[in-house]
Amino acid sequence: MASINAPKGVPDYVPPRSRDFYHVQESLSGSARRSGYEYIELPVFESTELYERGVGTSTDVVQKEMYTFTDRGDRSITLRPEGTAGVMRAVIENRLDKGALPVKLWYRGPFFRAERPQHGRYRQLQQVGVEAIGSVDPIIDAEVIAIADQSFRSLGLIGFHLELTSLGCKECRPAYRAKLQEFLSACDLDPETRERANVNPLRVLDDKREVVQAQLVQAPLMIDSLCDSCQRHYDEVRAYLSIFGVEWNEAPRMVRGLDYYTRTTFEFVHPALGAQSGIGGGGRYDGLMSELGGSELSGIGFGLGVDRTLLACEAEGLTPLIDHTVDIFVIPVGEEAREPAVSLLVGLRNAGFSADISVDNRGVKSALKVANGMKAPAVLILGPDEIKSGSIIVKDMDSGEQVTVSLEIVELVQLLQRNLHTKKEDES
Ligand code: HAM
């Protein structure tokens, strides 16, 4: 029978690469967890209206990229293309906005966008995100950005940079938008781009084509049209960012793919990834909560791309991030050794080691190959001679050295703790 493949553009992560994927996912949330953000678990599908109202009907995400279907109750359902709108929906529905503010949350999981698949651009993508809702304090803007920066750095990444700008607010953006539209109306644009200039003129600034860019050199920029309050906010965000020790590039032409952004907006870019170089991005959203039927609260957050961060780690030669599956591999030799070997395995796992056992009565040579494949630093061999003398062979898989020691679990645990600890110290 013919085999079945995964849908186009949907990645599998299988061992050994899945170890690194998992490690990246864990690391990207570490900084948020250490900063007092609480976990939120949300559905992967929501009513389509949430994204139409939340993300914006003029965005590519809503216009072209949503996986939308009608369920058995004739409701229009969409696989979540991003996380922020869903978090807002849950905050409103569970009345978290009526409690202590700001509400600080983090989440992770798969998101779905029917984009044209290519290196680093998938139809099922994974993000780790945070949202801080209910404060306009620039300390929060700087904190959110610093958390993202720290998350990437915790993996050892150094080749990325932060692009930052302010998109203004509902006071100053309309005037700027009109100014930009007027400027664009004098440009020589094809009908499709002209239509975009009418619907969402900021998006035209992001046009990659040389013919368009050449005409945009003198285009007015939002950053030069900020109202006093947005200017003050942006200045303070940058001052706090310096205190957090985060460096940035001013990116006044940055355009984000989602409509809800206001004021502080940012993107982390890793040039080694080529066309899909955005490893994370986010910003502040003033009107989103009220647009979704909630209070007039502002929020700020980010989404970090787990898939792309893994690619960035690979591009920087940081992988494997996790090179072994278990610390200890136990090899019973002969029928008699099987039961004591399982007892030993239980003892080791109870003592906190990650440990695995050779099965199917494999010979020592072939079992050592399995241990090698797992890159287990220590192997314990229990054969008939050892059982007779109440001992066990401990083999150091890096040096190849082996010693025979007492099978007494307490002593063995101490010895292994010492050995594995020394190894970890040597590595770091
Ligand atoms: P976003 O910029 O659309 O923002 O996505 C965030 C990150 O997800 C991107 O920087 C990228 O690393 C990753 N990503 C997006 N699309 C793909 C794809 N097709 N394949 C692989 N990776 C992808 C948001 O989603 C906002 N909800 C972030 C946010 C939270 N803003 C405020 N709060």
Side-chain angles (χ1 to χ4, degrees), residues 107-127:
Y107 53 91
R108 67 164 162 206
F111 297 87
F112 307 88
R113 296 183 189 179
E115 295 191 83
R116 201 162 41 77
Q118 64 178 86
H119 183 67
R121 185 162 69 193
Y122 308 123
R123 291 184 169 173
Q124 176 171 311
L125 58 120
Q126 300 271 347
Q127 284 183 10

Side-chain angles (χ1 to χ4, degrees), residues 96-316:
L96 299 184
D97 54 330
K98 306 293 179 211
L101 298 176
V103 183
K104 291 177 163 185
L105 302 166
W106 77 272
Y107 53 91
R108 67 164 162 206
F111 297 87
F112 307 88
R113 296 183 189 179
E115 295 191 83
R116 201 162 41 77
Q118 64 178 86
H119 183 67
R121 185 162 69 193
Y122 308 123
R123 291 184 169 173
Q124 176 171 311
L125 58 120
Q126 300 271 347
Q127 284 183 10
V128 168
V130 310
E131 310 295 344
I133 304 137
S135 167
V136 287
D137 194 324
I139 291 181
I140 298 285
D141 300 51
E143 177 191 72
V144 163
I145 295 171
I147 286 174
D149 185 73
Q150 184 52 39
S151 300
F152 292 130
R153 290 193 194 282
S154 72
L155 286 159
L157 285 169
I158 48 170
F160 65 92
H161 58 265
L162 165 63
E163 303 204 328
L164 181 73
T165 195
S166 171
L167 290 181
C169 66
K170 64 173 187 299
E171 302 303 323
C172 51
R173 185 125 48 118
Y176 164 70
R177 196 184 134 103
K179 211 193 287 180
L180 179 61
Q181 261 169 341
E182 195 188 318
F183 174 88
L184 292 174
S185 68
C187 294
D188 180 18
L189 302 172
D190 58 86
E192 201 184 321
T193 313
R194 184 146 305 291
E195 174 59 21
R196 195 170 312 138
N198 288 335
V199 182
N200 195 338
L202 269 81
R203 194 74 32 90
V204 179
L205 294 179
D206 196 32
D207 200 309
K208 303 280 181 288
R209 289 169 302 174
E210 198 46 48
V211 274
V212 181
Q213 276 306 324
Q215 300 183 65
L216 298 180
V217 181
Q218 301 291 336
L221 298 173
M222 183 69 240
I223 205 75
D224 300 322
S225 304
L226 296 178
C227 60
D228 287 350
S229 143
C230 284
Q231 185 64 54
R232 218 174 314 118
H233 192 264
Y234 192 46
D235 290 344
E236 283 189 47
V237 170
R238 289 180 294 181
Y240 287 118
L241 266 184
S242 298
I243 298 173
F244 275 105
V246 176
E247 291 178 8
W248 69 91
N249 298 334
E250 297 289 337
R253 287 167 182 265
M254 184 199 306
V255 178
R256 302 270 302 133
L258 311 163
D259 264 1
Y260 46 64
Y261 292 112
T262 52
R263 292 195 164 178
T264 315
T265 312
F266 55 93
E267 233 162 42
F268 287 86
V269 176
H270 200 300
L273 297 194
Q276 305 305 317
S277 59
I279 54 173
R284 185 167 277 287
Y285 38 86
D286 282 342
L288 179 57
M289 190 113 169
S290 54
E291 181 61 40
L292 295 175
S295 1
E296 280 283 344
L297 290 179
S298 179
I300 179 164
F302 62 62
L304 310 183
V306 181
D307 315 85
R308 288 188 195 168
T309 305
L310 175 57
L311 290 172
C313 290
E314 288 168 346
E316 284 198 29

Side-chain angles (χ1 to χ4, degrees), residues 299-331:
I300 179 164
F302 62 62
L304 310 183
V306 181
D307 315 85
R308 288 188 195 168
T309 305
L310 175 57
L311 290 172
C313 290
E314 288 168 346
E316 284 198 29
L318 296 169
T319 50
L321 295 159
I322 300 292
D323 68 352
H324 63 279
T325 330
V326 289
D327 289 336
I328 302 162
F329 194 64
V330 180
I331 306 178

